[in-house]
Amino acid sequence: DGGIHCYTSKDLINWTNAGVVLSVDYKNTNTDIEYGCLIERPKVVFNKVTRKFIAFFKFYPKGNGYEIAYVGVAIADSPNGPFQYSHKFLADSPKGSGDFSMFVDTNGDLYHLAVRKPDKTFIIGKMRDDYLLPAEEYKICQGIDFHTEAPAIIKVNDVYHMLSSASSGWTPNEARYYTSTTLFGTWTRHENPTHGFNTIDNIGSEKTFGGQSSFIIPVVGIENAFIAMFDIWKPSMPIEGRYIWLPIEFKEGKMAINWIEKWNLSFFKK
């Protein structure tokens, strides 16, 4: 089952496994996505002009380990695939880029925001109108600290909010939180937006409950309702890696994410 899996839901609670929508190639050794390559953290966006769904993912070709980090690109007519692998690209460095976000702005422009390797500078690049490749040179995001990765971005009332983390390998660390009125910055850093204690894994907010930011889900049908998603990394036993989903509150215009043992979408209707 190597590749990208898809799950579908109408209520964010009950999920259906749609299977592998982009598979590694188990037979062909003359393709980028041959068996043995590494595919991580896919992001899917919809291009309203081409009417295509485009998957971006961290991509490491077979035999290279984590030395060079490409962005892989695959295309489909439907969000549940099948996706066809298209190509890969490097972002602003021969070593590529690490954890990233693909953010579609309100005007339809797509931006790739990522930590650059190996200097750990946080960069941004605008993608072409078809979303398939960068349209211009990358720029440094002003105000973002070095070693910032795993960005998840939303726009609320014309303010961009970025949830992210420091770079500490597989080990969790304190969440980083920035806001700006432009994607290029200058960004302003705020205090850790997470609060509380994960009683399941016995880890507090000083280590983001044991997780790392991966995406923020807008709740369809409820204005300004968002869910923060975190990955729990288990490198010694990846199959045991889990996820944390928590509702985002806004207090005086700033993001707050509190640990809650159990919750549902009625949280946003208070």
Side-chain angles (χ1 to χ4, degrees):
D1 287 350
I4 297 176
H5 289 245
C6 177
Y7 298 83
T8 64
S9 174
K10 294 182 179 180
D11 58 11
L12 299 180
I13 297 175
N14 301 289
W15 291 83
T16 300
N17 185 353
V20 178
V21 295
L22 175 68
S23 175
V24 299
D25 196 318
Y26 290 92
K27 298 180 180 179
N28 185 4
T29 59
N30 294 316
T31 177
D32 285 344
I33 58 171
E34 66 173 307
Y35 177 68
C37 69
L38 299 174
I39 294 174
E40 298 179 355
R41 289 194 150 189
K43 319 288 184 186
V44 176
V45 297
F46 177 63
N47 188 307
K48 293 182 179 180
V49 176
T50 64
R51 310 300 296 177
K52 298 292 185 181
F53 292 87
I54 305 167
F56 300 88
F57 47 91
K58 290 174 64 178
F59 178 66
Y60 303 91
K62 179 181 178 180
N64 289 345
Y66 286 94
E67 181 67 20
I68 301 176
Y70 292 88
V71 177
V73 182
I75 305 170
D77 294 323
S78 167
N80 58 350
F83 282 84
Q84 299 297 321
Y85 175 74
S86 175
H87 60 278
K88 64 184 186 296
F89 67 87
L90 292 171
D92 202 41
S93 167
K95 296 294 185 180
S97 57
D99 291 340
F100 66 87
S101 173
M102 304 302 298
F103 179 76
V104 181
D105 211 341
T106 48
N107 64 356
D109 289 342
L110 177 67
Y111 293 89
H112 175 216
L113 298 97
V115 58
R116 185 173 64 195
K117 300 180 75 172
D119 67 348
K120 299 294 186 177
T121 297
F122 197 82
I123 56 173
I124 178 172
K126 183 180 178 182
M127 303 295 287
R128 295 187 329 198
D129 290 344
D130 62 9
Y131 293 178
L132 298 181
L133 286 167
E136 56 191 35
E137 291 187 3
Y138 283 76
K139 297 179 174 62
I140 295 173
C141 275
Q142 300 299 318
I144 303 295
D145 296 281
F146 283 98
H147 295 266
T148 295
E149 64 178 25
I153 302 168
I154 54 175
K155 187 177 184 180
V156 181
N157 298 327
D158 295 323
V159 175
Y160 299 94
H161 299 255
M162 181 192 298
L163 181 63
S164 57
S165 81
S167 298
S168 55
W170 303 104
T171 306
N173 56 68
E174 185 177 65
R176 294 181 176 182
Y177 170 44
Y178 301 86
T179 61
S180 176
T181 55
T182 69
L183 283 171
F184 294 86
T186 300
W187 292 82
T188 299
R189 184 171 176 176
H190 306 279
E191 64 180 17
N192 181 357
T194 64
H195 307 279
F197 190 81
N198 174 355
T199 57
I200 299 172
D201 297 300
N202 295 314
I203 301 176
S205 59
E206 76 284 354
K207 291 190 176 180
T208 319
F209 313 125
Q212 184 186 43
S213 51
S214 60
F215 193 68
I216 297 176
I217 303 176
V219 179
V220 176
I222 306 177
E223 186 177 4
N224 290 338
F226 302 94
I227 300 171
M229 300 176 63
F230 304 89
D231 295 336
I232 297 179
W233 295 96
K234 300 283 187 178
S236 61
M237 188 61 68
I239 196 67
E240 294 181 359
R242 304 191 313 280
Y243 306 96
I244 299 171
W245 289 18
L246 293 170
I248 296 175
E249 297 180 83
F250 286 92
K251 299 179 179 179
E252 298 181 353
K254 301 296 186 295
M255 184 185 295
I257 304 169
N258 296 300
W259 177 263
I260 303 175
E261 291 289 330
K262 294 182 180 181
W263 65 279
N264 56 42
L265 295 182
S266 64
F267 176 92
F268 298 110
K269 299 175 183 179
K270 294 186 295 185

